[in-house]
Amino acid sequence: MPDIQMRFNKDMLVLSTPLDYQLASQGFDPSDREYVVLCEPELIEEAFKLEKSIDVPCFVTPTEGITEARLAYARFEGRSEEMARIAYEASAQFSPQHLIAAIGPTGLPLDSTSAVSLKQSKKQYHDAVLALIEHPFDALYFTGFKSLDDARCALMGARAVYDGPLLISLVPNGEGMFPGGRTLSEGVALCDEYGADVIGVVSDAPARILVGFAKEMASVTDKPLLVDVSVRRKDRRQFEPTDENPYPTADAIVELAVRLRAQGVQFLRASGAATPAYTGALLATVGGSDVVVPQ
């Protein structure tokens, strides 16, 4: 697998669909992801087999729950190293262009005024990263951070032990704000300062808002940008996008992908209720294209 950093701000790259659609088809809930990774890894293999068939360049492992807090909540304490190994083996066999390991928020309450709380949070991410870097992942991806303080802890914990590529996605509200009245621009600047190599957002907002987010991010940093389009509900009977459900079908994200690329976004992903058909639509739209430098 080639060095992903050599492609930063050069080639458009699409990330694989999260495991959620596969879990739902098998009767699992997204909260069962830790159980599935550790106990039924063949479901991961089935999901990546489909991603490989459409030649998705970047596989993202379903290791969002690898922090000890998340594992303890799922009653799998002390199994982060096992999760990292299983996820790597289940995905690397398909030889994607790039293999990226995901790390989600711990879910623990965080008191930004408490040195003890911040230290505990950083250690959660520090230890998760240590488990993952035992395997030759091309990059690590901190995904779905609603708290900027939590994002800072994640990046600090990672950078204490890892000097490879770090991706991060934040979750602003529809107005581009975070708790405490902090803006998306502030969030991007914070991630840039604390060592993120790729900075982005996860959002289910309509296209006009996502394009605005991309434009705002590009005004703050020269780092590669990422947009993860969270699909609220897949509905073939809905013929036109609405604000209540902006992406009812895979076709609905085609124009959005074009507009995001025009704003300089390099990494694209579809998540939430998205299926690999959404990822295929992104690939068909931007695959093989160069990153655009906004004028």
Side-chain angles (χ1 to χ4, degrees):
M1 291 174 279
D3 187 345
I4 194 171
Q5 285 182 296
M6 295 179 65
R7 304 179 74 175
F8 283 174
N9 284 324
K10 294 180 180 179
D11 307 320
M12 294 296 299
L13 293 172
V14 174
L15 307 181
S16 61
T17 314
L19 200 60
D20 295 5
Y21 78 96
Q22 182 78 349
L23 296 180
S25 70
Q26 298 293 326
F28 290 103
D29 187 85
S31 62
D32 297 322
R33 187 183 288 109
E34 290 78 26
Y35 166 80
V36 169
V37 174
L38 287 165
C39 302
E40 299 196 29
E42 63 275 6
L43 293 181
I44 306 174
E45 295 177 6
E46 287 298 316
F48 281 134
K49 186 181 297 182
L50 185 52
E51 300 283 341
K52 183 64 175 180
S53 71
I54 58 175
D55 204 21
V56 179
C58 300
F59 280 18
V60 180
T61 61
T63 47
E64 292 89 344
I66 198 170
T67 58
E68 188 59 27
R70 292 274 292 271
L71 288 171
Y73 183 79
R75 300 184 180 179
F76 290 113
E77 296 94 332
R79 297 180 68 178
S80 60
E81 293 180 1
E82 183 182 357
M83 174 178 276
R85 176 185 58 78
I86 291 172
Y88 178 78
E89 291 175 354
S91 51
Q93 63 180 295
F94 296 100
S95 301
Q97 293 179 33
H98 303 290
L99 186 54
I100 300 170
I103 308 171
T106 63
L108 295 173
L110 178 63
D111 181 356
S112 61
T113 66
S114 167
V116 173
S117 180
L118 292 170
K119 183 177 180 179
Q120 290 175 338
S121 180
K122 285 185 284 187
K123 186 176 187 331
Q124 288 276 326
Y125 298 114
H126 169 279
D127 292 349
V129 169
L130 280 179
L132 288 166
I133 61 177
E134 287 297 310
H135 307 277
F137 290 103
D138 295 314
L140 303 182
Y141 175 28
F142 287 112
T143 175
F145 280 72
K146 297 180 180 180
S147 162
L148 296 186
D149 290 321
D150 201 14
R152 178 164 58 92
C153 287
L155 291 169
M156 291 178 70
R159 283 303 182 211
V161 291
Y162 178 69
D163 60 3
L166 277 179
L167 292 68
I168 191 167
S169 60
L170 306 173
V171 187
N173 66 18
E175 286 71 49
M177 302 293 290
F178 297 94
R182 301 166 83 178
T183 66
L184 177 57
S185 293
E186 290 177 287
V188 172
L190 179 147
C191 292
D192 198 339
E193 178 184 356
Y194 283 94
D197 295 296
V198 176
I199 304 169
V201 293
V202 178
S203 177
D204 62 0
R208 65 181 184 279
I209 294 177
L210 290 185
V211 172
F213 286 171
K215 186 174 183 179
E216 183 174 352
M217 290 191 294
S219 71
V220 177
T221 183
D222 293 327
K223 299 283 182 67
L225 302 179
L226 179 155
V227 172
D228 181 335
V229 184
S230 182
V231 176
R232 300 179 194 174
R233 186 178 69 256
K234 187 175 181 293
D235 189 351
R236 295 179 180 177
R237 298 168 297 178
Q238 183 181 333
F239 298 107
E240 295 293 334
T242 64
D243 281 358
E244 291 70 32
N245 192 32
Y247 315 105
T249 65
D251 291 343
I253 63 172
V254 169
E255 181 183 353
L256 172 61
V258 173
R259 295 175 65 187
L260 290 173
R261 176 174 175 256
Q263 293 299 330
V265 174
Q266 177 177 14
F267 291 84
L268 292 174
R269 193 185 199 193
S271 61
T275 64
Y278 284 79
T279 302
L282 294 175
L283 279 169
T285 306
V286 303
S289 301
D290 295 333
V291 174
V292 172
V293 178
Q295 300 300 317

